[in-house]
Amino acid sequence: MRHLIEPMDFTEKEIRNILDLANRIATNPSLYSHVAEGKKLATLFYEPSTRTRLSFESAMLSLGGKTLGFSSAEQSSATKGETVADTVRVVSCYADIIAMRHPKEGAPLQASMYAKVPVINAGDGGHNHPTQTLIDMMTIRNRKGRLDHLKVGFCGDLKFGRTVHSLTKTLMRYEGNEFYFISPEELRIPEYLEKKLHGKNISYHECEELESVLPKLDVLYMTRVQKERFFNEEDYIRLKDRYILTEEKLSLADKNMPVLHPLPRVNEIAYEVDDDPRAAYFEQVQNGVYIRMALIMALLGLEDPGKGEVVFDVKS
Ligand code: NCD
């Protein structure tokens, strides 16, 4: 049985297969509208979410399957003191696959050790968000035609932003990528990530100012300041509007530099940017459904009707 807990769980080839399948689904969704008939997806969300949960549900419904679940810890037996291990053992009897979001780092990993069905990490604390990473990769590949030899800028809360951590780890695997980490001093990337970059001899730069870096970038990944992970409100207020991307600033950037954002956006991208052809964040949302459809098919060991073979050989 296969799970998706962290970005390194999939090989480069498996990632390519998922992205290719997601693109095939995008061009012919009706071909896939019955492949998961009779299957159920449980969404166990212990932390708020709009996009991720609805996009998982939409993906399963688009494959002809059904969904069940809860959207906050308060709605679950966690309030009675039930452990994640027990909850997933129980839910394994109700569903064929589980998507879990949890404020505690490592909770989905623990769940995967006790579940009898595949578990997908839909975000664990400030740690990982591997499905968002697949979406980001699909969007970058579709826009730039490649996943290597890119100068990628990450801007905003690089300390707590799990989407940044997961995407950096994944893009590190591709040759020639170079990273620009743009953040206030307090919100720099975690030390463990720096060590990984050093260990692999990957070229990266850290700076506080966005404008001077913009002209160099092939891709810009904006993030919001993660209010819920701050210990004190004053720091959040001081840092939250540090970067606001406007059309004026974007005039410094390459004409083909996509602007990604995992959403929700708070203030960090002005609304005027939405009409710029470089804005790719709503495309990410649409890609999210296709990626999650592809992922559910892969982990359930389903056959791709577009190719006549299973996506992943889940028995191996
Ligand atoms: C992200 C998350 O939950 O980490 N949102 C998402 O899933 N698209 C980003 C965020 O909350 O800032």
Side-chain angles (χ1 to χ4, degrees):
M1 195 169 58
R2 300 284 304 270
H3 306 279
L4 176 59
I5 304 303
E6 74 129 311
M8 305 306 272
D9 287 347
F10 288 175
T11 62
E12 273 177 54
K13 182 164 179 267
E14 286 171 337
I15 292 178
R16 202 177 330 120
N17 285 346
I18 296 273
L19 303 194
D20 289 346
L21 172 57
N23 275 325
R24 281 198 295 283
I25 296 172
T27 50
N28 192 2
S30 60
L31 187 63
Y32 297 85
S33 58
H34 297 287
V35 294
E37 244 160 32
K39 302 283 186 194
K40 283 170 278 181
L41 162 80
T43 51
L44 313 185
F45 275 57
Y46 294 83
E47 202 185 53
S49 161
T50 311
R51 243 159 318 277
T52 307
R53 188 173 57 82
L54 293 183
S55 137
F56 266 112
E57 293 187 359
S58 170
M60 192 49 159
L61 296 173
S62 303
L63 292 171
K66 293 201 161 63
T67 68
L68 63 163
F70 53 81
S71 56
S72 75
E74 292 73 43
Q75 291 171 17
S76 78
S77 281
T79 52
K80 299 180 189 167
E82 187 171 56
T83 59
V84 162
D86 277 1
T87 303
V88 295
R89 272 197 201 123
V90 168
V91 175
S92 296
C93 303
Y94 305 148
D96 302 286
I97 185 163
I98 293 172
M100 173 183 281
R101 170 169 288 194
H102 204 287
K104 275 213 193 96
E105 307 185 347
L109 175 64
Q110 197 201 11
S112 70
M113 291 167 178
Y114 291 91
K116 302 272 185 291
V117 299
V119 175
I120 301 170
N121 177 5
D124 61 328
H127 201 206
N128 277 315
H129 196 344
T131 65
Q132 182 64 47
T133 297
L134 291 170
I135 296 164
D136 302 337
M137 309 269 287
M138 176 179 178
T139 311
I140 293 172
R141 200 181 73 164
N142 286 354
R143 286 271 182 146
K144 301 299 295 179
R146 64 184 195 275
L147 289 167
D148 51 29
H149 297 93
L150 292 167
K151 290 186 168 53
V152 184
F154 289 96
C155 177
D157 185 346
L158 311 187
K159 180 179 181 184
F160 297 115
R162 56 192 170 196
T163 59
V164 173
H165 305 158
S166 286
L167 184 56
T168 304
K169 277 193 251 175
T170 307
L171 284 175
M172 269 168 63
R173 298 165 91 179
Y174 296 80
E175 212 183 309
N177 286 334
E178 196 174 327
F179 302 101
Y180 290 81
F181 297 110
I182 309 137
S183 75
E185 176 64 27
E186 296 94 325
L187 299 178
R188 286 170 54 187
I189 52 164
E191 221 179 287
Y192 84 87
L193 212 52
E194 275 196 78
K195 283 201 181 125
K196 266 188 202 297
L197 290 158
H198 275 298
K200 288 193 131 198
N201 239 333
I202 289 167
S203 168
Y204 74 96
H205 318 264
E206 290 188 278
C207 61
E208 290 202 35
E209 204 218 334
L210 175 61
E211 285 85 335
S212 57
V213 177
L214 266 176
K216 301 181 187 152
L217 300 178
D218 298 311
V219 176
L220 173 63
Y221 197 95
M222 295 294 294
T223 63
R224 79 183 165 96
V225 175
Q226 304 273 302
K227 183 179 183 190
E228 66 277 30
R229 308 204 198 283
F230 269 73
F231 294 112
N232 102 44
E233 175 104 16
E234 263 168 48
D235 284 349
Y236 170 70
I237 291 168
R238 183 167 53 80
L239 296 169
K240 72 181 174 64
D241 292 331
R242 174 74 177 76
Y243 302 100
I244 300 175
L245 187 67
T246 57
E247 272 298 282
E248 195 187 336
K249 287 186 196 161
L250 258 186
S251 67
L252 302 166
D254 187 86
K255 292 273 167 292
N256 294 314
M257 180 204 73
V259 178
L260 279 76
H261 190 307
L263 303 180
R265 145 176 67 181
V266 184
N267 245 346
E268 53 283 344
I269 302 181
Y271 280 91
E272 65 189 19
V273 175
D274 298 0
D275 297 325
D276 192 302
R278 288 169 285 190
Y281 27 97
F282 293 112
E283 199 173 299
Q284 284 169 277
V285 176
Q286 182 60 69
N287 288 342
V289 180
Y290 302 135
I291 281 289
R292 290 178 175 119
M293 288 170 78
L295 183 62
I296 291 169
M297 285 178 62
L299 295 181
L300 285 178
L302 300 178
E303 191 178 294
D304 172 5
K307 280 192 103 183
E309 55 189 52
V310 290
V311 190
F312 278 15
D313 184 3
V314 285
K315 285 180 283 306
S316 65

